[in-house]
Amino acid sequence: MIISYSKIIEGASFSPLSQTEVSYQAQQLICLDDSGYIAHVIEPSDSDYASVKQTAQANDTLTTLRPNQYLLPGFIDLHVHAPQWPNAGLALDRPLNEWLDTYTFPLEAKYQDLDFAKSVYNNLVQELLANGTTTVLYFGTIHNAANLELAKACIQHGQRGFIGKVAMDNPDQTPDYYQDASAQVAVDQTEQFIQQLGELNQTTNLKQTPVITPRFVPSCTPDSLRGLGDLARKYDLPVQSHCSESDWESGYALEHYHMRDAEVLDHYGLLTDKAVMAHGTKLTDHDYQLFKKQGVAVAHCPISNVYFGNAVLPVKRVLAHQVKIGLGTDISGGYSPSLYQNMRQAVMSSRMLQDGVDNQLPADKRGVADSAISVKTAFYLATRGGAESLHLQTGKIAEGYLADMQVVSLQNDFQTKTSDNIFEKLMYQTSKADIDQVYVQGERVK
Ligand code: GUN
Ligand code: FE
């Protein structure tokens, strides 16, 4: 019997095997079914290789990669502030709270203008896809009409979005021109968005997921945190926030709640096994244990952390505590929409953590031993780490996984001998222009 697949890609691939290993296949047929999954991976040594390939050629469903092209899983960005895209690269020299008040809140307030929202969100979604990012966990703004435009842009351009209406009702920490009028409003609008997205999803195969989104502890009142925790339980939905992202932010929880901010979020039912907490540079071993127990994931945003984090997230330590962890760009706390750039920064920051940075100290006192991560670990974070954090069957080129993939060209192909050489070059040198094809749930979107 000859099965016919909706698409077949023939070529070489890299896929994460574990937190430290990557698998390489020089040639395979990656066979997609019509629901957007990888139904079969056929090796040249398999008896049906030639016949399946021939059938695909006859049906015009075969894409053959060039010798310098490689298939990789699509990337999962666990932390993007969609409305901040126009500010990418701006004011990164300011402290977090001043950056929020002076640059971020005034921009986010503009999204009551739907034309503005549409133009920014269409541009951002296409930019992220063009960079190989197939799934994104987004913060929107307080405005549901604009948040729906973000969801529509994801559907139109073919990206899997997880989208949160931002809740921020604490009048002491939010400007009066940009805040939820009360805890009740923050919670009601969140519930309204869940329903609106449910209706929109009936029009599309590529589902967009609503996310419970308290901005962070300082922006919310105890009543909104409690109400949002209740919604997370009622609808069994993902939760996202910022947690222990800087000295100022973690200090705020200690001062106002006499608890660590992770404990505040847990107290209100917001640390679930569908929760993704951005940054975490100031998390303690005690917090990691709480995250592990509750199944909470960390969105590591290494570029943003250089500016706002006050410390380097010890990725190896987080992994050793068996806490789920993926990567985020944190647009616009991070300037780059590329997870490639963030993988590189994750590796570089981890090496600086290991070696230390104060040249006046002796080498053995300068850093934190055994902190450096490899680029293979960074690749794991951008793929399987993100997928596990969002409970998605993706981030891997393998049977039964969603066909979320990117095809990348290796340009600087002179001294490459081993598959490890090729992999390292792809990780360190790929730019947007080298990403030739992107697939989400089997649909070609670039
Ligand atoms: N903490 C609260 N809001 C934000 C934000 O928009 N960006 C970052 N990086 N941190 C935050
Ligand atoms: Fe953020």
Side-chain angles (χ1 to χ4, degrees):
M1 184 189 68
I2 299 199
I3 311 167
S4 91
Y5 300 102
S6 66
K7 266 189 202 81
I8 295 186
I9 299 174
E10 182 184 42
S13 68
F14 287 99
S15 182
L17 255 190
S18 71
Q19 292 172 354
T20 53
E21 298 160 300
V22 170
S23 73
Y24 171 68
Q25 298 298 333
Q27 192 184 348
Q28 288 176 318
L29 296 177
I30 314 291
C31 308
L32 313 191
D33 66 23
D34 53 16
S35 55
Y37 282 82
I38 300 172
H40 246 112
V41 177
I42 302 178
E43 311 292 337
S45 57
D46 292 339
S47 59
D48 53 348
Y49 192 96
S51 61
V52 170
K53 180 174 169 178
Q54 218 170 27
T55 308
Q57 270 167 328
N59 295 343
D60 203 17
T61 51
L62 181 71
T63 301
T64 301
L65 303 189
R66 293 191 306 268
N68 74 330
Q69 285 182 316
Y70 299 88
L71 188 68
L72 310 176
F75 291 155
I76 294 134
D77 191 330
L78 286 184
H79 190 52
V80 173
H81 295 269
Q84 296 174 20
W85 176 227
N87 271 359
L90 294 190
L92 293 171
D93 54 342
R94 307 302 167 93
L96 177 63
N97 49 345
E98 188 188 321
W99 175 86
L100 286 170
D101 290 342
T102 316
Y103 290 87
T104 305
F105 294 153
L107 173 59
E108 291 193 14
K110 285 192 185 173
Y111 287 75
Q112 58 199 22
D113 174 351
L114 283 189
D115 289 333
F116 181 63
K118 270 186 217 175
S119 66
V120 173
Y121 289 161
N122 276 304
N123 182 268
L124 172 64
V125 170
Q126 291 176 87
E127 178 71 21
L128 291 169
L129 283 169
N131 276 285
T133 301
T134 47
T135 298
V136 183
L137 177 53
Y138 284 113
F139 276 58
T141 61
I142 67 171
H143 319 97
N144 278 344
N147 297 330
L148 279 172
E149 292 303 327
L150 176 56
K152 287 180 197 163
C154 289
I155 291 168
Q156 183 186 340
H157 301 293
Q159 187 174 62
R160 185 177 301 102
F162 287 71
I163 301 170
K165 172 251 178 301
V166 172
M168 41 190 289
D169 66 314
N170 180 1
D172 296 337
Q173 290 292 329
T174 55
D176 52 12
Y177 64 83
Y178 184 55
Q179 62 187 201
D180 291 308
S182 66
Q184 196 62 49
V185 168
V187 174
D188 288 349
Q189 298 277 300
T190 299
E191 190 158 21
Q192 181 198 54
F193 184 61
I194 295 167
Q195 262 126 30
Q196 289 172 328
L197 209 45
E199 284 160 29
L200 186 63
N201 274 335
Q202 290 173 3
T203 65
T204 171
N205 283 330
L206 186 62
K207 305 299 178 201
Q208 308 296 314
T209 306
V211 183
I212 309 295
T213 308
R215 184 172 202 117
F216 63 163
V217 167
S219 299
C220 293
T221 60
D223 284 343
S224 66
L225 292 174
R226 185 178 302 107
L228 294 170
D230 291 345
L231 283 186
R233 190 168 342 102
K234 176 172 169 190
Y235 291 96
D236 190 24
L237 284 172
V239 177
Q240 62 181 341
S241 191
H242 300 82
C243 187
S244 285
E245 79 167 303
S246 67
D247 288 321
W248 170 74
E249 184 259 5
S250 63
Y252 181 94
L254 288 175
E255 187 184 333
H256 290 82
Y257 291 87
H258 312 291
M259 280 190 262
R260 300 193 44 75
D261 66 339
E263 293 168 326
V264 175
L265 294 165
D266 189 43
H267 177 78
Y268 291 111
L270 291 158
L271 291 193
T272 70
D273 84 334
K274 290 188 176 173
V276 179
M277 294 292 138
H279 307 297
T281 56
K282 302 295 297 174
L283 292 171
T284 61
D285 280 354
H286 174 265
D287 296 330
Y288 300 146
Q289 282 155 18
L290 177 60
F291 275 34
K292 160 83 164 73
K293 176 168 143 248
Q294 303 291 53
V296 176
V298 173
H300 177 33
C301 306
I303 294 182
S304 172
N305 291 346
V306 173
Y307 300 103
F308 299 122
N310 303 130
V312 173
L313 182 79
V315 172
K316 265 197 162 175
R317 202 174 173 115
V318 175
L319 288 170
H321 279 85
Q322 297 176 303
V323 172
K324 290 180 271 182
I325 174 169
L327 272 190
T329 56
D330 191 25
I331 290 165
S332 65
Y335 58 80
S336 171
S338 164
L339 277 181
Y340 285 94
Q341 296 279 23
N342 277 276
M343 287 193 295
R344 293 161 201 159
Q345 187 65 53
V347 172
M348 291 190 286
S349 293
S350 78
R351 296 193 67 92
M352 294 175 83
L353 179 62
Q354 176 161 308
D355 279 351
V357 294
D358 183 350
N359 73 349
Q360 301 299 305
L361 293 175
D364 64 337
K365 299 251 168 357
R366 223 179 283 144
V368 181
D370 195 27
S371 293
I373 62 166
S374 69
V375 74
K376 290 180 180 171
T377 295
F379 180 63
Y380 163 85
L381 298 181
T383 54
R384 277 307 292 159
E388 282 164 7
S389 302
L390 294 175
H391 300 262
L392 290 173
Q393 185 74 359
T394 189
K396 210 170 174 170
I397 309 287
E399 286 176 7
Y401 281 74
L402 281 162
D404 299 344
M405 309 180 297
Q406 50 182 321
V407 174
V408 181
S409 284
L410 180 63
Q411 305 295 351
N412 176 350
D413 195 11
F414 301 104
Q415 287 284 335
T416 34
K417 297 197 170 61
T418 66
S419 60
D420 269 5
N421 291 164
I422 297 169
F423 178 73
E424 286 165 356
K425 281 199 169 180
L426 288 173
M427 294 301 107
Y428 277 109
Q429 303 223 289
T430 297
S431 66
K432 185 169 79 170
D434 304 319
I435 302 173
D436 303 322
Q437 304 171 26
V438 177
Y439 297 83
V440 178
Q441 213 164 287
E443 293 296 325
R444 185 157 171 186
V445 298
K446 177 181 183 184

